[in-house]
Structure formats: C-alpha cells, structure tokens
Amino acid sequence: FGAAPHVVVARNLEPIYGLSTALQALAILRQHYPGATLTVAGSGPQKAELVAQAAALGLSGAVHFPGRVDHADMPTLYARADCALNPSTVDNMPNSVLEAFASGLPLVSTDVGGVPDIVTDGVDGLLVPAGDAQAMAAALMRVLGDRELARRLVEAGAAQVQAYAWPQVRGQWLAAYRKAAV
C-alpha cells in the first residue's frame, strides 16, 4: 500500500456515524503512514464540526469531504481507496459495508448493532469497539501493513456479499411476502 494509503468512509455526517473517531484514528495512522489520507463521502449537519476537528488535528490537507456522492460515482470512490472504514456507533446493516465487500476493499468496522451479523472479525473484515480511535488505527495499520491479510479479507468479503445479491434474496423476500399475506 505504500506510505500514502487512502481510506474511504461513506456515511452521513452525523454524530451516530462516529466520524470524529475516524478522524482521530487517521491522526494516529499518520504517525506510521505520514501520507495517509481519508475521504469522507456524505453530507449532514456535522460537516463544519468535522472540518474544524480535522484542522485541529493537523489533517486539513489529508481529509477530503466531497459531500454526498451519487450511487453511480461510488465505484470510482472505492477504486481510489486502499481500505474502507465504517466507524458507526450504532447501525443495523450498513450498505457501505456491503459496498466495500463488493468493491474489493478490505474493511475495518465497528462491532455495533447488526454489523457482526454480516462481518466476521478476522475473516471478511476487522471489527473494533465503537469510539476507540486507538483500536481503529491499529486495525487500519494491520490491514495496510499485511498484504496477505488484506487479500484474505477481500476474498472473503467478495464471497460474503454474494449472500446479499438479488438472486439469493429474491426467494427469501417472496417467502416473507407469502407468509405475511396469509
């Protein structure tokens, strides 16, 4: 990955998505990877606060806030990244996790809500406690420093995301509707 890895977060700019922790983790990561950068794709009420936090952490040139990214442009966003990050403090089944799997990115995520139902720690992603910037940075360093681990996570993520593809869920949805109709 080199000295300038790029991490991507696709979340709305709201406190529940843990973006403050992601910025803190980037500051720690940059102690080991001085050229590391972060793109936070999303919009929301916390933008000014996050921009100010990035500046206070000395990350102004290292963090990019492009705003909401259209679905059609998400593959390009993911293609430029070396790792995907989901720093949520609460969540059910984030699309960003499935998008990371489908995009061939290793994933670091918090272990909140339903995330552990779709991400198995050490198998298809690395899970860390919510709000723990040290653990988040350590997991990012682990992925970025171990190409074999990153490869294994990507392969397992690609296999895992297939369970959520339309051909697999179609029958489940039809069964649920039939049951509800009875």
Side-chain angles (χ1 to χ4, degrees):
F1 296 102
H6 184 67
V7 179
V8 64
V9 175
R11 303 301 335 206
N12 285 333
L13 310 183
E14 299 175 31
I16 65 168
Y17 293 119
L19 298 167
S20 177
T21 304
L23 294 176
Q24 294 167 29
L26 178 66
I28 296 165
L29 179 67
R30 284 176 60 88
Q31 294 170 13
H32 301 275
Y33 292 92
T37 56
L38 173 67
T39 294
V40 181
S43 60
Q46 201 181 20
K47 183 174 182 179
E49 178 184 333
L50 293 169
V51 169
Q53 181 186 2
L57 290 168
L59 301 174
S60 292
V63 182
H64 180 57
F65 294 94
R68 184 171 167 15
V69 175
D70 290 333
H71 290 291
D73 297 326
M74 289 303 291
T76 301
L77 181 78
Y78 286 121
R80 289 192 299 246
D82 297 302
C83 186
L85 179 62
N86 176 47
S88 294
T89 62
V90 295
D91 226 319
N92 51 15
M93 188 176 146
N95 283 337
S96 59
V97 166
L98 299 177
E99 289 173 352
F101 285 167
S103 298
L105 285 176
L107 172 73
V108 172
S109 178
T110 51
D111 61 355
V112 300
V115 172
D117 294 330
I118 58 175
V119 179
T120 302
D121 186 38
V123 175
D124 47 22
L126 298 182
L127 296 176
V128 300
D132 189 338
Q134 290 286 344
M136 191 174 288
L140 286 167
M141 284 186 269
R142 214 175 131 204
V143 168
L144 296 169
D146 186 342
R147 287 191 181 276
E148 180 58 25
L149 171 64
R151 185 194 62 74
R152 286 194 317 265
L153 295 176
V154 165
E155 286 179 3
Q160 170 68 346
V161 78
Q162 293 307 309
Y164 301 93
W166 180 245
Q168 278 65 42
V169 299
R170 180 182 178 273
Q172 295 171 28
W173 276 104
L174 287 173
Y177 281 122
R178 286 184 184 120
K179 184 177 178 181
V182 174

